[in-house]
Amino acid sequence: CMDTPKGFDMDKGNMKDCALKIHRNIHRQKQAGRVWNQCLVDKLVRELKFVQSKHDECVFCRGTTMHALHTDDSTLAGPDKAEMDQMIKEMQEAKLDITVKGDLQDFLGVNIERKADGTIHLTQPHLIDQILKDLRLEDENVTTKPIPASSSKSLSWHSGSEAFYGSVDNRSVIGKCNYLAKSAGSDVACIAHQCARFYAHPKQEHGKALRWLGRYSKATRDKGTTLKPNGDKDMEVFVDADFSGNWDGAESHNRDTARSRHGYIIMYAGCPVSWKSQLQTEIALSSTESECTGLSCALRDAIQTMELLKEMKKFGFPIQSTIPKMHCEAFEDNSGALEMATTHKYRPRTKHLNVKLHHFRDCVTRGEITAHPID
């Protein structure tokens, strides 16, 4: 709801029957973000002659430089600094109000440190400090943990336990933990997701798991993720899944206890680029089916990344590849899932998986994806 602009006379009695036509974008409209994105893309593509990626609409290329957009934050990456400086000048001439922060050292809360040996260190110490402050674990004498969570049991609803509220803003802490898991903390992805499942009705067990995660984060505050590129490696996908790992006899009336969980990490040139831990949306009927579901979800992400890398090669970027075409190796520890991924034969017990889980078979046939056993 908005007030009538000054100088515009209207019959106050007929306000409900009138509407105002807006000629320009206004902050906080539902479509404001979309309008801003369309305006920026139009300037980048039409005026500045960038080429927008067909596989990721937030990636733009021109010459040897890539422009990656994240809402209203963006990065320019390329080997020619003079070319990037020229692009910045042209953006300013195109009336884009930009602030140049120099070399990439901190982006979206992630500290980026380039080591002398060529490795890149990603950390989020400030975010971890906020989590520790929220959990009241910032004291130097606080006991830390060597692992992110208990390895013997997973969280459930714990209906019979007391509620966990107190002085901790549960939703805020979990939101920060989720951002930590998605940015530079792949090691906490599983427990962060487990805690997030029960944020609306937390019990004492959930509070203990959250504080455990905080103690682990305190011990690994300056560890983060180290990227060490290896030109001899192409894309690699590592997948694993459990079968009904959330089973809890006391909560068997809840269908979520029958769901399986899978996790995967996608590597390129030996560096982690994408990872996820999630509950499967459908209930698997066997360990092979849960593993195959995890493999399928991982390869959906991997195939899109492969297509983006192929596109970059067409644009002339020096993409590292040990063979002429982009190739992905998927590692799976379940023999049944491996058989289904590599042998294109339908069986009575697996025919219901045909469309949903076998979308990557064309890539297997073309040799772009190969599946390998791993212990």
Side-chain angles (χ1 to χ4, degrees):
C1 182
M2 62 178 289
D3 296 329
T4 306
K6 292 181 179 180
F8 193 85
D9 296 326
M10 291 184 64
D11 184 357
K12 299 296 183 181
N14 297 325
M15 289 290 288
K16 293 183 179 180
D17 299 326
C18 298
L20 296 175
K21 182 178 180 180
I22 300 173
H23 295 286
R24 295 183 63 185
N25 192 31
I26 294 181
H27 180 57
R28 290 189 179 179
Q29 287 187 114
K30 290 183 178 179
Q31 68 270 34
R34 177 60 177 161
V35 173
W36 149 248
N37 180 263
Q38 289 176 323
C39 175
L40 180 58
V41 170
D42 185 68
K43 282 186 176 292
L44 289 174
V45 175
R46 293 191 179 184
E47 294 186 35
L48 301 174
K49 306 305 179 184
F50 278 88
V51 179
Q52 187 176 24
S53 169
K54 295 180 180 179
H55 302 286
D56 190 332
E57 294 183 354
C58 294
V59 174
F60 303 82
C61 298
R62 197 184 93 178
T64 61
T65 301
M66 172 177 286
H67 179 230
L69 176 65
H70 189 283
T71 313
D72 58 349
D73 294 298
S74 61
T75 56
L76 284 173
D80 190 342
K81 190 174 187 306
E83 184 179 68
M84 288 190 285
D85 290 339
Q86 177 63 27
M87 289 181 181
I88 292 172
K89 181 180 177 181
E90 292 179 14
M91 287 180 181
Q92 293 170 334
E93 292 174 349
K95 297 183 179 180
L96 287 175
D97 186 10
I98 61 176
T99 302
V100 181
K101 295 292 185 68
D103 291 339
L104 193 62
Q105 297 177 345
D106 185 282
F107 188 68
L108 300 176
V110 180
N111 290 355
I112 304 168
E113 182 183 3
R114 296 177 182 272
K115 302 287 188 178
D117 60 357
T119 60
I120 301 173
H121 194 206
L122 309 179
T123 55
Q124 292 178 280
H126 300 300
L127 178 61
I128 291 177
D129 288 343
Q130 293 177 28
I131 294 172
L132 296 177
K133 183 178 180 180
D134 292 343
L135 294 173
R136 298 186 176 182
L137 296 174
E138 67 267 40
D139 192 275
E140 292 183 0
N141 298 323
V142 168
T143 304
T144 59
K145 295 285 187 179
I147 56 176
S150 171
S151 59
S152 59
K153 62 173 67 175
S154 60
L155 294 178
S156 65
W157 289 98
H158 300 289
S159 302
S161 299
E162 295 182 7
F164 172 75
Y165 289 111
S167 59
V168 176
D169 187 345
N170 198 53
R171 299 189 182 203
S172 175
V173 174
I174 288 175
K176 293 171 184 175
C177 290
N178 273 335
Y179 188 70
L180 175 66
K182 292 179 179 179
S183 301
S186 58
D187 49 345
V188 302
C190 182
I191 186 58
H193 180 264
Q194 285 195 52
C195 290
R197 290 183 60 214
F198 309 104
Y199 78 93
H201 304 286
K203 301 295 185 179
Q204 290 297 322
E205 289 81 357
H206 306 139
K208 291 178 181 178
L210 199 57
R211 292 180 69 84
W212 185 320
L213 176 56
R215 295 176 189 275
Y216 171 77
S217 298
K218 185 179 182 68
T220 58
R221 178 183 179 275
D222 299 318
K223 301 295 182 183
T225 298
T226 299
L227 308 180
K228 190 175 183 179
N230 183 349
D232 294 331
K233 292 186 177 182
D234 286 324
M235 277 193 67
E236 297 174 312
V237 182
F238 297 89
V239 191
D240 200 10
D242 63 22
F243 173 53
S244 192
N246 289 314
W247 171 251
D248 183 353
E251 302 283 345
S252 58
H253 59 279
N254 190 325
R255 67 173 179 267
D256 284 345
T257 62
R259 298 189 189 277
S260 303
R261 174 181 291 275
H262 65 248
Y264 62 83
I265 185 164
I266 299 174
M267 312 279 285
Y268 177 66
C271 299
V273 295
S274 180
W275 53 81
K276 181 176 284 189
S277 173
Q278 65 180 136
L279 280 183
Q280 296 178 357
T281 55
E282 63 281 308
I283 295 175
L285 303 180
S286 66
S287 59
T288 294
E289 184 175 338
S290 68
E291 294 276 3
C292 199
T293 300
L295 184 62
S296 173
C297 290
L299 289 178
R300 291 175 208 174
D301 198 354
I303 289 173
Q304 193 257 356
T305 306
M306 285 175 63
E307 294 300 324
L308 181 61
L309 290 170
K310 289 180 186 176
E311 188 177 51
M312 291 174 65
K313 289 189 73 172
K314 291 181 181 178
F315 288 150
F317 286 86
I319 298 299
Q320 295 271 354
S321 182
T322 55
I323 53 179
K325 61 183 179 181
M326 191 53 57
H327 180 253
C328 174
E329 293 183 349
F331 295 90
E332 172 61 51
D333 66 350
N334 183 275
S335 58
L338 275 171
E339 176 73 11
M340 292 165 61
T342 55
T343 305
H344 298 179
K345 178 181 177 182
Y346 300 111
R347 304 160 181 82
R349 290 189 62 191
T350 59
K351 63 182 180 181
H352 64 289
L353 305 177
N354 181 18
V355 176
K356 186 173 180 64
L357 304 185
H358 294 166
H359 63 92
F360 56 85
R361 280 189 164 177
D362 285 343
C363 294
V364 175
T365 301
R366 292 195 298 267
E368 295 178 351
I369 292 177
T370 54
H372 305 270
I374 192 172
D375 59 23

